[in-house]
Amino acid sequence: SSLPFLLEVARTTRRGAVEVGVHYCVAMGASASINDGAQRVSYEEAKGLLGSTFEDAVFFEHARPEDNTINATALVPLILSEGGRTVTWLCDTDSGPRIFAPSVAAKIEHAHRTGFQAVEWEANGFTYRMDWAASCQVNTATNKTRTVFRQLVSWEFEGDYGYKAYDDATVMFKIEAAYWKAKYGDLDNYVEHININGYTYAVDFRRLDMIKQTNTRSRRSRPLRRVEGGCLPAAATAPATEADPV
């Protein structure tokens, strides 16, 4: 199966990474969008897309009561979630790792989870495909390759009894997206406002070694930390091919 509702075309950003199909700006709508959020996905379609990570409770939290469908946009952070952590896909460029836009990452992640299916995407007039056996993206016009990595990340806040991971995949996804925007200097004032359990928090990324969230109502602040679960080549568990014997 595939992700038909994910657009594959991304606009040019201010830096040069886009020429290899990688986007440093990961805000939804800034580098890629999902049909303007108009398309809705049924319970069965969502279950098929999310596979073993599908949870009834999470689906119905986002579903429209009258027809039990979910906005396609809401599926992206759920697809990019595994074991309570956010999944990021990165490309090794000349200037260091660059994160893929969420819609592209969701396409790659879905292909990864469903038997390393063939997957392509477009960016700035070029088409790219994944070479699972070689752990790289390939520019189909120039055949230039770049190594691709899959990384699991957990975001934790300091609670009264130590650090605790967020239990909402969407919240963790938004913080991770804002982190990369801040890292590449594309986050306004280096602060992102995120709704958590009905409260608005200002997440301050001005110092990436000292990130904190502040409740905008109570003004209480808590430190945050980013915990990486390892960065593996895309082909770490890919099936063998004729060019990659077991």
PDB file of all heavy atoms in Angstrom, residues 49-65:
ATOM      1  N   LEU A  49      -2.423   1.879   7.657  1.00  0.00           N
ATOM      2  CA  LEU A  49      -1.237   2.708   7.512  1.00  0.00           C
ATOM      3  C   LEU A  49      -0.323   2.626   8.730  1.00  0.00           C
ATOM      4  O   LEU A  49       0.896   2.582   8.609  1.00  0.00           O
ATOM      5  CB  LEU A  49      -1.644   4.164   7.284  1.00  0.00           C
ATOM      6  CG  LEU A  49      -2.253   4.488   5.919  1.00  0.00           C
ATOM      7  CD1 LEU A  49      -2.845   5.879   5.927  1.00  0.00           C
ATOM      8  CD2 LEU A  49      -1.197   4.363   4.828  1.00  0.00           C
ATOM      9  N   LEU A  50      -0.919   2.590   9.911  1.00  0.00           N
ATOM     10  CA  LEU A  50      -0.125   2.633  11.139  1.00  0.00           C
ATOM     11  C   LEU A  50       0.351   1.257  11.590  1.00  0.00           C
ATOM     12  O   LEU A  50       1.301   1.142  12.351  1.00  0.00           O
ATOM     13  CB  LEU A  50      -0.927   3.294  12.261  1.00  0.00           C
ATOM     14  CG  LEU A  50      -1.283   4.765  12.025  1.00  0.00           C
ATOM     15  CD1 LEU A  50      -2.148   5.296  13.156  1.00  0.00           C
ATOM     16  CD2 LEU A  50      -0.031   5.611  11.891  1.00  0.00           C
ATOM     17  N   GLY A  51      -0.321   0.203  11.125  1.00  0.00           N
ATOM     18  CA  GLY A  51       0.114  -1.152  11.461  1.00  0.00           C
ATOM     19  C   GLY A  51       0.141  -1.395  12.955  1.00  0.00           C
ATOM     20  O   GLY A  51      -0.802  -1.070  13.687  1.00  0.00           O
ATOM     21  N   SER A  52       1.257  -1.937  13.439  1.00  0.00           N
ATOM     22  CA  SER A  52       1.363  -2.335  14.846  1.00  0.00           C
ATOM     23  C   SER A  52       1.349  -1.150  15.793  1.00  0.00           C
ATOM     24  O   SER A  52       1.157  -1.322  16.999  1.00  0.00           O
ATOM     25  CB  SER A  52       2.643  -3.151  15.064  1.00  0.00           C
ATOM     26  OG  SER A  52       3.782  -2.375  14.744  1.00  0.00           O
ATOM     27  N   THR A  53       1.561   0.063  15.277  1.00  0.00           N
ATOM     28  CA  THR A  53       1.563   1.242  16.150  1.00  0.00           C
ATOM     29  C   THR A  53       0.176   1.846  16.312  1.00  0.00           C
ATOM     30  O   THR A  53       0.010   2.805  17.062  1.00  0.00           O
ATOM     31  CB  THR A  53       2.511   2.327  15.589  1.00  0.00           C
ATOM     32  OG1 THR A  53       2.001   2.789  14.338  1.00  0.00           O
ATOM     33  CG2 THR A  53       3.913   1.774  15.386  1.00  0.00           C
ATOM     34  N   PHE A  54      -0.813   1.284  15.613  1.00  0.00           N
ATOM     35  CA  PHE A  54      -2.168   1.829  15.680  1.00  0.00           C
ATOM     36  C   PHE A  54      -2.777   1.595  17.061  1.00  0.00           C
ATOM     37  O   PHE A  54      -2.685   0.519  17.630  1.00  0.00           O
ATOM     38  CB  PHE A  54      -3.053   1.160  14.623  1.00  0.00           C
ATOM     39  CG  PHE A  54      -4.472   1.686  14.603  1.00  0.00           C
ATOM     40  CD1 PHE A  54      -4.787   2.826  13.890  1.00  0.00           C
ATOM     41  CD2 PHE A  54      -5.475   1.040  15.309  1.00  0.00           C
ATOM     42  CE1 PHE A  54      -6.092   3.321  13.876  1.00  0.00           C
ATOM     43  CE2 PHE A  54      -6.773   1.521  15.302  1.00  0.00           C
ATOM     44  CZ  PHE A  54      -7.081   2.667  14.575  1.00  0.00           C
ATOM     45  N   GLU A  55      -3.409   2.636  17.596  1.00  0.00           N
ATOM     46  CA  GLU A  55      -4.091   2.531  18.887  1.00  0.00           C
ATOM     47  C   GLU A  55      -5.486   3.123  18.741  1.00  0.00           C
ATOM     48  O   GLU A  55      -5.649   4.259  18.312  1.00  0.00           O
ATOM     49  CB  GLU A  55      -3.328   3.288  19.973  1.00  0.00           C
ATOM     50  CG  GLU A  55      -1.948   2.719  20.278  1.00  0.00           C
ATOM     51  CD  GLU A  55      -1.259   3.495  21.383  1.00  0.00           C
ATOM     52  OE1 GLU A  55      -1.974   4.055  22.245  1.00  0.00           O
ATOM     53  OE2 GLU A  55      -0.023   3.549  21.384  1.00  0.00           O
ATOM     54  N   ASP A  56      -6.496   2.344  19.109  1.00  0.00           N
ATOM     55  CA  ASP A  56      -7.877   2.816  19.032  1.00  0.00           C
ATOM     56  C   ASP A  56      -8.055   4.146  19.760  1.00  0.00           C
ATOM     57  O   ASP A  56      -8.669   5.081  19.239  1.00  0.00           O
ATOM     58  CB  ASP A  56      -8.832   1.782  19.637  1.00  0.00           C
ATOM     59  CG  ASP A  56      -9.102   0.620  18.683  1.00  0.00           C
ATOM     60  OD1 ASP A  56      -8.623   0.683  17.530  1.00  0.00           O
ATOM     61  OD2 ASP A  56      -9.767  -0.339  19.096  1.00  0.00           O
ATOM     62  N   ALA A  57      -7.538   4.208  20.978  1.00  0.00           N
ATOM     63  CA  ALA A  57      -7.751   5.395  21.814  1.00  0.00           C
ATOM     64  C   ALA A  57      -7.185   6.641  21.149  1.00  0.00           C
ATOM     65  O   ALA A  57      -7.806   7.707  21.158  1.00  0.00           O
ATOM     66  CB  ALA A  57      -7.121   5.194  23.189  1.00  0.00           C
ATOM     67  N   VAL A  58      -5.984   6.496  20.566  1.00  0.00           N
ATOM     68  CA  VAL A  58      -5.346   7.638  19.918  1.00  0.00           C
ATOM     69  C   VAL A  58      -6.135   8.058  18.683  1.00  0.00           C
ATOM     70  O   VAL A  58      -6.351   9.242  18.430  1.00  0.00           O
ATOM     71  CB  VAL A  58      -3.891   7.293  19.530  1.00  0.00           C
ATOM     72  CG1 VAL A  58      -3.273   8.428  18.700  1.00  0.00           C
ATOM     73  CG2 VAL A  58      -3.064   7.034  20.772  1.00  0.00           C
ATOM     74  N   PHE A  59      -6.618   7.080  17.915  1.00  0.00           N
ATOM     75  CA  PHE A  59      -7.381   7.391  16.715  1.00  0.00           C
ATOM     76  C   PHE A  59      -8.641   8.168  17.070  1.00  0.00           C
ATOM     77  O   PHE A  59      -8.923   9.221  16.510  1.00  0.00           O
ATOM     78  CB  PHE A  59      -7.756   6.111  15.960  1.00  0.00           C
ATOM     79  CG  PHE A  59      -8.640   6.364  14.764  1.00  0.00           C
ATOM     80  CD1 PHE A  59      -8.083   6.668  13.538  1.00  0.00           C
ATOM     81  CD2 PHE A  59     -10.022   6.317  14.877  1.00  0.00           C
ATOM     82  CE1 PHE A  59      -8.890   6.925  12.434  1.00  0.00           C
ATOM     83  CE2 PHE A  59     -10.842   6.562  13.773  1.00  0.00           C
ATOM     84  CZ  PHE A  59     -10.267   6.868  12.556  1.00  0.00           C
ATOM     85  N   PHE A  60      -9.411   7.638  18.017  1.00  0.00           N
ATOM     86  CA  PHE A  60     -10.692   8.263  18.335  1.00  0.00           C
ATOM     87  C   PHE A  60     -10.528   9.600  19.057  1.00  0.00           C
ATOM     88  O   PHE A  60     -11.441  10.421  19.067  1.00  0.00           O
ATOM     89  CB  PHE A  60     -11.562   7.295  19.133  1.00  0.00           C
ATOM     90  CG  PHE A  60     -12.080   6.157  18.306  1.00  0.00           C
ATOM     91  CD1 PHE A  60     -11.699   4.853  18.567  1.00  0.00           C
ATOM     92  CD2 PHE A  60     -12.922   6.388  17.232  1.00  0.00           C
ATOM     93  CE1 PHE A  60     -12.158   3.803  17.782  1.00  0.00           C
ATOM     94  CE2 PHE A  60     -13.388   5.352  16.446  1.00  0.00           C
ATOM     95  CZ  PHE A  60     -13.004   4.053  16.721  1.00  0.00           C
ATOM     96  N   GLU A  61      -9.344   9.829  19.637  1.00  0.00           N
ATOM     97  CA  GLU A  61      -9.064  11.139  20.236  1.00  0.00           C
ATOM     98  C   GLU A  61      -9.052  12.212  19.153  1.00  0.00           C
ATOM     99  O   GLU A  61      -9.452  13.349  19.376  1.00  0.00           O
ATOM    100  CB  GLU A  61      -7.720  11.099  20.953  1.00  0.00           C
ATOM    101  CG  GLU A  61      -7.310  12.430  21.569  1.00  0.00           C
ATOM    102  CD  GLU A  61      -5.934  12.379  22.201  1.00  0.00           C
ATOM    103  OE1 GLU A  61      -5.394  11.256  22.344  1.00  0.00           O
ATOM    104  OE2 GLU A  61      -5.405  13.442  22.548  1.00  0.00           O
ATOM    105  N   HIS A  62      -8.611  11.839  17.943  1.00  0.00           N
ATOM    106  CA  HIS A  62      -8.506  12.791  16.842  1.00  0.00           C
ATOM    107  C   HIS A  62      -9.647  12.659  15.834  1.00  0.00           C
ATOM    108  O   HIS A  62      -9.750  13.460  14.911  1.00  0.00           O
ATOM    109  CB  HIS A  62      -7.178  12.601  16.112  1.00  0.00           C
ATOM    110  CG  HIS A  62      -5.969  12.867  16.950  1.00  0.00           C
ATOM    111  ND1 HIS A  62      -5.482  14.137  17.189  1.00  0.00           N
ATOM    112  CD2 HIS A  62      -5.147  12.024  17.621  1.00  0.00           C
ATOM    113  CE1 HIS A  62      -4.415  14.062  17.956  1.00  0.00           C
ATOM    114  NE2 HIS A  62      -4.178  12.801  18.235  1.00  0.00           N
ATOM    115  N   ALA A  63     -10.500  11.638  16.001  1.00  0.00           N
ATOM    116  CA  ALA A  63     -11.521  11.346  14.984  1.00  0.00           C
ATOM    117  C   ALA A  63     -12.715  12.287  15.078  1.00  0.00           C
ATOM    118  O   ALA A  63     -13.033  12.825  16.137  1.00  0.00           O
ATOM    119  CB  ALA A  63     -11.987   9.900  15.121  1.00  0.00           C
ATOM    120  N   ARG A  64     -13.381  12.458  13.950  1.00  0.00           N
ATOM    121  CA  ARG A  64     -14.614  13.237  13.900  1.00  0.00           C
ATOM    122  C   ARG A  64     -15.761  12.299  14.299  1.00  0.00           C
ATOM    123  O   ARG A  64     -15.955  11.247  13.671  1.00  0.00           O
ATOM    124  CB  ARG A  64     -14.827  13.774  12.482  1.00  0.00           C
ATOM    125  CG  ARG A  64     -15.972  14.747  12.346  1.00  0.00           C
ATOM    126  CD  ARG A  64     -15.865  15.493  11.022  1.00  0.00           C
ATOM    127  NE  ARG A  64     -15.911  14.583   9.874  1.00  0.00           N
ATOM    128  CZ  ARG A  64     -15.715  14.981   8.616  1.00  0.00           C
ATOM    129  NH1 ARG A  64     -15.429  16.253   8.370  1.00  0.00           N
ATOM    130  NH2 ARG A  64     -15.788  14.117   7.631  1.00  0.00           N
ATOM    131  N   PRO A  65     -16.517  12.634  15.330  1.00  0.00           N
ATOM    132  CA  PRO A  65     -17.525  11.708  15.883  1.00  0.00           C
ATOM    133  C   PRO A  65     -18.568  11.236  14.876  1.00  0.00           C
ATOM    134  O   PRO A  65     -18.965  10.070  14.907  1.00  0.00           O
ATOM    135  CB  PRO A  65     -18.176  12.525  17.005  1.00  0.00           C
ATOM    136  CG  PRO A  65     -17.168  13.552  17.371  1.00  0.00           C
ATOM    137  CD  PRO A  65     -16.458  13.882  16.091  1.00  0.00           C
TER     138      PRO A  65
END
